[in-house]
Amino acid sequence: MSSLSRRALLRRLAAGAGSTFLLPLMSRLAHAAPTRTPRFVFILEGNCYEPVTVLDPSTLAALNATAMPQVQATDRWWYSSYRHKAPLITQSTQFASTKALGAIATSGLAAQTAVLFGLSSRITGGGHSASHGVLSSTRTVGGQPGGPTIDTALATTPGVRGTTPYDVIRLGVSYDLKQRLNYDTCAYDRGRAAPLIVDPYAAYSTLFGLVGTAADQAAFDQRANLLAFAQQDVTAALSTFGGNSTERAKLEAYLTTLQASAMRQSQLVAIRSKLAGVAPTAPATNPLYNQNLPLNNNPIKRFAGQLELATAALQGELTHVAVIGCATGGAFNLTYPTASPAANSGVTRHDLHHGSAVNASYLQTIHDITKQQIDAIVQYMALPLRNTPDPAGGTLLDSTVIVYIGDNGEQHHSTASEFPVVLIGGGALGLKTSGRTIVYPGVDTGGTGHRQVSNLWATLGQLAGATPLTVGVTKVDFNVFGGEGPGRIAAGALTELTA
């Protein structure tokens, strides 16, 4: 019997005559039990993945009971066909019969997975990319985010952040192999973008350099020494500073940043042995890292490598929140050496989409890449987390919600009318996946029954036990997360997803 079921039994017994004896015992058990920590991972596909790739035959049949016009198996998106006014629920999704989710079925993850259709986020604007918008439910204007993204907000919640060295780990993939950081996807606050590390070598060094090669460890020690020297210099400067208050405030803010960085270094040293036990294979011998870049560039491998790093970071308690962006923002125009058919391996993502209406092989490649991404998510994140025990009981996947979503909506030039979503894990947090597909009423035809991506973020806030908080200068209430204002259809969580 699990610790949870034992406590449930004791509660029932305590309601009877034995309560005088049992209540003190229950209290001791409750205090002895490890606290379950919510974990969240956001995986964003740049420039959309199409709804048809995650649609199964049973859900198609349920849609067509009311859809006008009927949704055809060859349709790629269909947000204008919705006519239902309440959520349609397929209780047992046929994952093996979809274009992209076969790995969910073959890996035994079906019961821990759900697919969502019908969620809109027109506040973001869509287009080629909504940039920070999909995770913030605000509009990015001139490259500046309209508010904090959901990863930042959840990581600010004490029950999620805990004492981890990093609040959020943000990784990514770019078509530009010389790029190290991408500022198009996440935000600390309104007007303050947060970077994804898109150089996998830099990501490995940052997260696991402490337990990496001798050169990596030397670089880590050097950073620690430089932080110590910098703190001494700033402290000395402040002790004799005679300038104005504005300049003094800048120095004080700099010192605070240095102190936080030094604290992180100390935290990393404290968990060195744990990190050594979970660190991925170093880039020098890891097949996910291409030693001959920029030759034979393979973004799917880089994506898998970033997934592997994020998974190890969760296992090693480096963080409880992670973001992995695959060519998000302006970095989506990739080519795919692993494309099927192979003849399309040199065609850019932008050209694939523009030619897909008349070239069936281009469309096949677009959908195959989504399948390859889901395969990687299963292999390098979902299964390793399922195989890792959680100190609070069950596995880390039970305590982790993995969200797979596009960064602009339902198509290449998106209207942001629909963002298909795949959810994996989170059962111990109260997320009800159960192998279901849920289709929410459409943005133009569903009336008050329609729901938005911000409702999904409210759901995660509820699972995290989050209360209203302040992120930077922004007041965050998860029930009305984002900037939809009068365009908000309904506040609060998606009740179909909470157990």
Side-chain angles (χ1 to χ4, degrees):
M1 185 182 294
S2 70
S3 60
L4 181 61
S5 59
R6 285 198 298 272
R7 291 196 293 276
L9 174 62
L10 287 170
R11 287 193 192 95
R12 288 194 288 271
L13 290 172
S19 60
T20 301
F21 168 75
L22 287 172
L23 284 174
L25 175 60
M26 288 171 58
S27 178
R28 288 196 297 274
L29 281 173
H31 283 89
T35 301
R36 185 174 301 282
T37 301
R39 298 167 176 85
F40 300 94
V41 180
F42 301 91
I43 303 172
L44 282 79
E45 164 57 15
N47 193 229
C48 92
Y49 66 87
E50 295 185 353
V52 68
T53 60
V54 294
L55 177 70
D56 76 306
S58 295
T59 302
L60 175 60
L63 274 175
N64 278 334
T66 59
M68 293 177 57
Q70 294 276 286
V71 180
Q72 305 300 314
T74 54
D75 288 345
R76 300 160 68 176
W77 53 84
W78 48 81
Y79 63 86
S80 61
S81 290
Y82 292 132
R83 294 296 182 271
H84 56 290
K85 303 297 183 183
L88 298 176
I89 301 178
T90 300
Q91 294 295 345
S92 298
T93 303
Q94 298 168 276
F95 293 106
S97 298
T98 66
K99 294 180 182 295
L101 300 178
I104 298 294
T106 57
S107 62
L109 289 168
Q112 293 174 280
T113 303
V115 177
L116 310 182
F117 291 109
L119 301 179
S120 72
S121 190
R122 284 183 173 171
I123 182 66
T124 68
H128 279 146
S129 172
S131 296
H132 319 87
V134 65
L135 292 182
S136 68
S137 294
T138 64
R139 180 71 61 93
T140 292
V141 178
Q144 296 300 306
T149 46
I150 185 64
D151 53 297
T152 299
L154 288 169
T156 306
T157 303
V160 175
R161 174 62 196 273
T163 59
T164 58
Y166 295 95
D167 56 347
V168 184
I169 285 175
R170 302 177 176 94
L171 308 174
V173 174
S174 173
Y175 77 92
D176 183 353
L177 301 179
K178 296 179 181 178
Q179 188 177 28
R180 294 179 68 104
L181 300 174
N182 178 314
Y183 285 88
D184 294 342
T185 308
C186 296
Y188 299 119
D189 196 4
R190 183 171 65 251
R192 293 182 59 219
L196 307 183
I197 304 175
V198 295
D199 178 344
Y201 297 90
Y204 188 96
S205 176
T206 298
L207 299 176
F208 293 99
L210 174 63
V211 293
T213 64
D216 289 332
Q217 294 184 44
F220 179 90
D221 292 337
Q222 184 180 30
R223 283 196 297 271
N225 292 334
L226 289 173
L227 285 168
F229 292 145
Q231 285 183 82
Q232 292 172 9
D233 287 345
V234 176
T235 300
L238 282 170
S239 68
T240 60
F241 187 75
N244 61 48
S245 59
T246 300
E247 294 303 316
R248 183 177 184 86
K250 290 180 181 179
L251 275 176
E252 290 173 341
Y254 181 41
L255 180 60
T256 299
T257 300
L258 290 171
Q259 290 170 336
S261 298
M263 175 64 73
R264 177 183 296 151
Q265 295 286 104
S266 298
Q267 288 176 297
L268 291 171
V269 170
I271 59 173
R272 183 195 294 261
S273 60
K274 188 166 191 173
L275 294 180
V278 301
T281 302
T285 55
N286 190 328
L288 298 180
Y289 295 76
N290 192 330
Q291 303 306 310
N292 298 310
L293 288 177
L295 300 176
N296 195 26
N297 169 36
N298 189 336
I300 296 296
K301 277 193 174 183
R302 282 187 284 138
F303 176 62
Q306 300 289 50
L307 287 168
E308 185 181 61
L309 281 172
T311 299
L314 294 169
Q315 293 169 323
E317 295 289 320
L318 281 173
T319 189
H320 296 141
V321 183
V323 178
I324 302 97
C326 188
T328 50
F332 69 86
N333 206 19
L334 300 172
T335 56
Y336 302 95
T338 55
S340 177
N344 296 334
S345 62
V347 183
T348 66
R349 178 84 178 199
H350 192 269
D351 289 345
L352 286 170
H353 274 288
H354 275 268
S356 61
V358 295
N359 187 325
S361 75
Y362 281 12
L363 183 58
Q364 180 184 343
T365 295
I366 293 168
H367 293 169
D368 179 65
I369 293 305
T370 301
K371 179 185 181 299
Q372 291 187 41
Q373 289 174 335
I374 292 288
D375 290 350
I377 291 167
V378 168
Q379 180 179 354
Y380 293 100
M381 178 166 281
L383 289 180
L385 291 177
R386 191 181 70 178
N387 293 332
T388 304
D390 187 332
T395 73
L396 282 189
L397 185 60
D398 298 324
S399 300
T400 304
V401 180
I402 301 172
V403 182
Y404 179 59
I405 190 170
D407 85 331
N408 68 326
E410 76 290 333
Q411 57 186 296
H412 176 61
H413 293 154
S414 175
T415 67
S417 296
E418 173 153 22
F419 285 75
V421 178
V422 178
L423 298 173
I424 306 173
L429 304 180
L431 184 67
K432 186 178 179 182
T433 50
S434 308
R436 301 176 303 152
T437 292
I438 305 171
V439 186
Y440 289 92
V443 61
D444 293 319
T445 58
T448 59
H450 176 64
R451 293 295 179 266
Q452 295 158 304
V453 172
S454 58
N455 294 109
L456 175 59
W457 305 152
T459 306
L460 302 188
Q462 179 176 307
L463 298 179
T467 57
L469 48 85
T470 300
V471 179
V473 299
T474 304
K475 303 291 184 183
V476 172
D477 179 346
F478 286 91
N479 285 320
V480 288
F481 186 83
E484 276 149 341
R488 188 180 303 281
I489 303 300
L494 299 170
T495 57
E496 296 76 18
L497 285 175
T498 51

